[in-house]
Amino acid sequence: MSGREDEPHPPSIRHGLDELIAERRAKRERLRETDKTAFPYAFPGSTPIDELLAEYTHLQVGEETTEPQHRVAGRIVARRGAGKAAFFDLVDRTGKIQLHARVDVLGRKDFDELLSLDLGDLVGVFGVMLRSRHGELSLRIDDFQVLAKALRPPPDKHHGLTDVETRYRRRELDLIANEDTRRVFAQRARIVAAVRAYLDAHGFIEVETPILQALYGGAMARPFTTRHNALERDLYMRIATELYLKRLIVGGLERVYELGKDFRNEGLSHKHNPEFTMVEWYEAYADYNDEAARLEEVVAAAARSVDYAGELDFSAPWRRVTFSEAIAQRTGIDVLDHRDAEELRAAIAKLDLDVHINGDTWFQLADDMLGKLVEPTLQQPTFVLDYPVELSPLARAHRSQEGLVERWEAFAGGMEIANAFSELIDPDVQRERFAAQERLSALGEEEFQPYDDTFVQALEQGMPPSGGVGLGIDRLVMVLTGRDSIREVVLFPAMRG
RNA sequence: GCCCCGUUAGCUCAUCUGGUAGAGCGCCGGACUUUUAAUCCGGUGGGGCGGGUUCGAGUCCCGCACGGGGCACCA
């Protein structure tokens, strides 16, 4: 092959995007030839834009400084030519500043070169601060360097980028175009930092447990499988960190947490991504009531970290309602009075619901009632307590309620955000719970807790009474940033293809 | 996996019953020494992919891909 087919088309037959890219490539070559300082390897000593703006708030309208000269680096997002003067908007990670260029300061050659730059190009500028006649703090350009050429055009400078597919698949474009997106991910970072800071300050140590596991556990979910070639065996991606963290409690660490990704091979939705971020913490000598109070504190700290000012009131104590009360309040049915699938199904049928309640067993039906009828109504932070034992194979039996366990799920914004137990520490009971799960599996249930003998042996070593919590970070961020889709708070959400 | 809806220029959006697809921004050329969605003049660029019906398809039909919403599943 001659290679001719790989060469750019002649200008006469370029169209659309190809034409725009060709223009920018040509400009890049011109810059390389005419400006020896184009594309330096670094641009040290630049001042963040927000700091610069804060430093000069005292400037009066029309006032110009003559020193000191500042350096600023960023991306050109707007350009307004005005004959022998021109204005640019420059954006860095901290904000936006207007640049003022004058031909009598820069000279004809540099001025023309500056004006030939495209929206999206990265530049470093040197200059002094002024406040324009229209009152905007600006940097007058005394000199500049082109740091990088954008070969592809940026999204619309005014309307930004709204196409959700492009926003998620090309998140860099979303971040360039939408300040709101940049803010959300900065807030996410602050929330994660606040959760860690709280736990660190309360005697928890952060640990890391295996993501690749020979046996998955700690939640009801289908796992991803992968292959270890050297060991010639299949491995699972973790669906939860629970069982390993409890072994660390047995080991005497007493307060541990892990913040990281879990992987569940389930469908996608506005609140489900196949890989998602969870923090789980466990502490010895505490029960699920202690953990409810701790979650209130963790979430309050996270809310403070982003100056949350929305509709939800995270101040303690949050509303508490039992599993059966919550369902009864919505439907009039006390599921504990109908511990039989047919009987409960008949009671549900009388309700004339516009949603279908699914399940083969009474506890599956009851769980679906909670999920479909109650959960969407739980906007303000709420604990739902005391779940059926069949739904919770790792939770300790309720101290006073037969057939229930000491478990709560926390809801906010109509969505589950956390789950906790008084942990089951009796190895014999745990063994029997696993056996019950295996019987469910034999009946065709795809999601169950596989028998984990290593974990049971750990319990046999003696585990202190403990409480543990799993808090969904993505959903917490959704609630605290007011987003209604998990894709808005995950930088690169799972997409088909 | 199933159901419904969507896909028009680099971006944001128009386009009545099938009859030559428009605009703004951007980009190219020109004017302008305080603009800020700068302005003014001229120019440039397009129907997701593959079939079908028709004299003629962005428009009607079928398939595919991708996206959104819902269901199933799940935290």
Side-chain angles (χ1 to χ4, degrees):
Chain A
M1 198 149 33
S2 71
R4 279 205 70 82
E5 289 158 26
D6 295 321
E7 291 172 12
H9 297 298
S12 59
I13 61 169
R14 283 187 196 120
H15 296 291
L17 181 58
D18 287 343
E19 185 178 3
L20 298 176
I21 291 175
E23 292 279 3
R24 285 166 178 256
R25 282 189 182 281
K27 286 185 184 176
R28 184 179 65 174
E29 295 318 305
R30 250 176 276 142
L31 270 177
R32 278 194 177 129
E33 288 163 12
T34 62
D35 186 349
K36 298 306 175 205
T37 66
F39 314 123
Y41 280 74
F43 189 75
S46 61
T47 305
I49 287 171
D50 62 346
E51 284 181 23
L52 201 53
L53 295 176
E55 191 181 334
Y56 284 91
T57 52
H58 61 276
L59 285 185
Q60 303 295 307
V61 170
E63 186 178 355
E64 303 192 16
T65 62
T66 55
E67 62 174 8
Q69 195 184 53
H70 297 282
R71 300 159 70 88
V72 180
R75 191 182 294 275
I76 297 172
V77 298
R79 180 185 53 229
R80 298 176 288 280
K84 295 182 176 60
F87 297 85
F88 298 82
D89 289 339
L90 190 78
V91 167
D92 75 1
R93 69 181 187 281
T94 69
K96 179 164 76 176
I97 191 171
Q98 174 169 270
L99 307 178
H100 182 200
R102 302 169 51 131
V103 68
D104 58 357
V105 171
L106 285 166
R108 188 81 240 178
K109 176 176 170 293
D110 281 359
F111 184 79
D112 286 345
E113 186 175 294
L114 188 61
L115 270 192
S116 78
L117 293 178
D118 291 308
L119 300 190
D121 289 350
L122 293 156
V123 295
V125 301
F126 311 78
V128 295
M129 290 295 289
L130 59 90
R131 189 180 289 281
S132 74
R133 287 176 209 167
H134 286 69
E136 178 157 354
L137 277 177
S138 310
L139 187 86
R140 194 195 70 213
I141 304 175
D142 293 333
D143 198 4
F144 67 95
Q145 292 185 335
V146 181
L147 303 179
K149 182 71 189 171
L151 294 180
R152 290 177 181 274
D156 187 273
K157 65 180 179 183
H158 180 241
H159 298 96
L161 180 67
T162 62
D163 178 75
V164 291
E165 182 171 359
T166 308
R167 287 186 51 237
Y168 299 156
R169 287 185 187 278
R170 303 285 316 282
R171 185 68 88 180
E172 65 279 7
L173 294 181
D174 188 26
L175 290 164
I176 287 171
N178 298 318
E179 183 185 1
D180 193 47
T181 301
R182 297 197 291 272
R183 182 167 54 244
V184 165
F185 289 103
Q187 288 178 317
R188 178 177 174 123
R190 287 205 291 277
I191 289 167
V192 168
V195 169
R196 280 203 165 97
Y198 174 91
L199 293 169
D200 292 342
H202 288 78
F204 290 80
I205 63 167
E206 182 168 7
V207 299
E208 294 173 271
T209 64
I211 289 174
L212 296 177
Q213 305 181 344
L215 192 63
Y216 62 95
M220 308 269 201
R222 293 157 69 184
F224 287 92
T225 59
T226 186
R227 180 76 183 164
H228 192 297
N229 292 331
L231 296 181
E232 294 185 321
R233 68 181 300 181
D234 289 334
L235 292 172
Y236 300 103
M237 309 278 282
R238 72 178 176 205
I239 58 172
T241 49
E242 175 154 359
L243 302 186
Y244 281 100
L245 294 179
K246 284 180 178 174
R247 287 166 65 181
L248 301 180
I249 296 295
V250 170
L253 297 185
E254 292 190 348
R255 292 188 177 194
V256 298
Y257 76 95
E258 180 162 10
L259 195 158
K261 284 204 173 159
D262 291 341
F263 307 84
R264 297 188 183 176
N265 208 338
E266 312 284 357
L268 284 64
S269 84
H270 69 104
K271 53 183 183 179
H272 296 92
N273 198 56
E275 55 180 292
F276 63 102
T277 303
M278 174 101 100
V279 58
E280 290 191 41
W281 68 82
Y282 292 83
E283 62 178 302
Y285 314 117
D287 66 12
Y288 77 148
N289 293 313
D290 299 317
E291 295 313 325
R294 201 174 281 297
L295 183 75
E296 287 168 341
E297 292 185 9
V298 168
V299 172
R304 276 195 303 277
S305 75
V306 292
D307 300 317
Y308 178 79
E311 302 283 310
L312 305 183
D313 178 6
F314 291 104
S315 57
W318 299 355
R319 177 176 169 240
R320 283 160 170 74
V321 61
T322 69
F323 179 87
S324 58
E325 284 169 1
I327 296 171
Q329 286 169 8
R330 284 286 298 161
T331 65
I333 298 173
D334 186 338
V335 295
L336 297 181
D337 288 344
H338 302 79
R339 300 191 77 145
D340 170 89
E342 285 315 310
E343 201 181 325
L344 183 53
R345 217 188 309 272
I348 293 167
K350 289 181 194 159
L351 294 176
D352 192 27
L353 300 169
D354 56 3
V355 294
H356 186 249
I357 303 299
N358 300 296
D360 298 326
T361 61
W362 86 269
F363 59 87
Q364 288 168 330
L365 288 165
D367 194 38
D368 207 38
M369 291 172 82
L370 185 82
K372 288 208 177 79
L373 305 176
V374 180
E375 178 171 346
T377 72
L378 299 178
Q379 291 297 317
Q380 291 296 334
T382 303
F383 290 105
V384 175
L385 303 104
D386 302 339
Y387 282 63
V389 62
E390 297 92 333
L391 290 168
S392 317
L394 302 169
R396 190 168 181 169
H398 198 281
R399 63 194 75 183
S400 61
Q401 301 288 314
E402 183 76 21
L404 302 183
V405 292
E406 296 199 351
R407 170 188 182 183
W408 52 252
E409 290 186 313
F411 297 84
M415 193 168 55
E416 181 190 347
I417 60 169
N419 179 34
F421 316 139
S422 294
E423 301 297 339
L424 174 54
I425 60 171
D426 184 319
D428 295 334
V429 175
Q430 184 65 74
R431 192 175 277 115
E432 173 49 36
R433 296 274 188 86
F434 276 139
Q437 288 290 307
E438 299 226 303
R439 287 195 291 275
L440 271 181
S441 156
L443 293 175
E445 188 66 28
E446 288 198 56
E447 280 152 13
F448 64 100
Q449 300 264 344
Y451 194 104
D452 188 335
D453 194 58
T454 307
F455 174 65
V456 175
Q457 286 189 39
L459 295 185
E460 287 174 335
Q461 220 69 51
M463 175 164 165
S466 301
V469 179
L471 169 62
I473 293 292
D474 311 283
R475 290 184 177 181
L476 178 64
V477 174
M478 285 170 66
V479 166
L480 293 181
T481 60
R483 308 289 136 166
D484 56 12
S485 171
I486 195 169
R487 300 183 192 97
E488 294 293 333
V489 302
V490 171
L491 277 168
F492 298 99
M495 303 287 278
R496 184 193 302 270

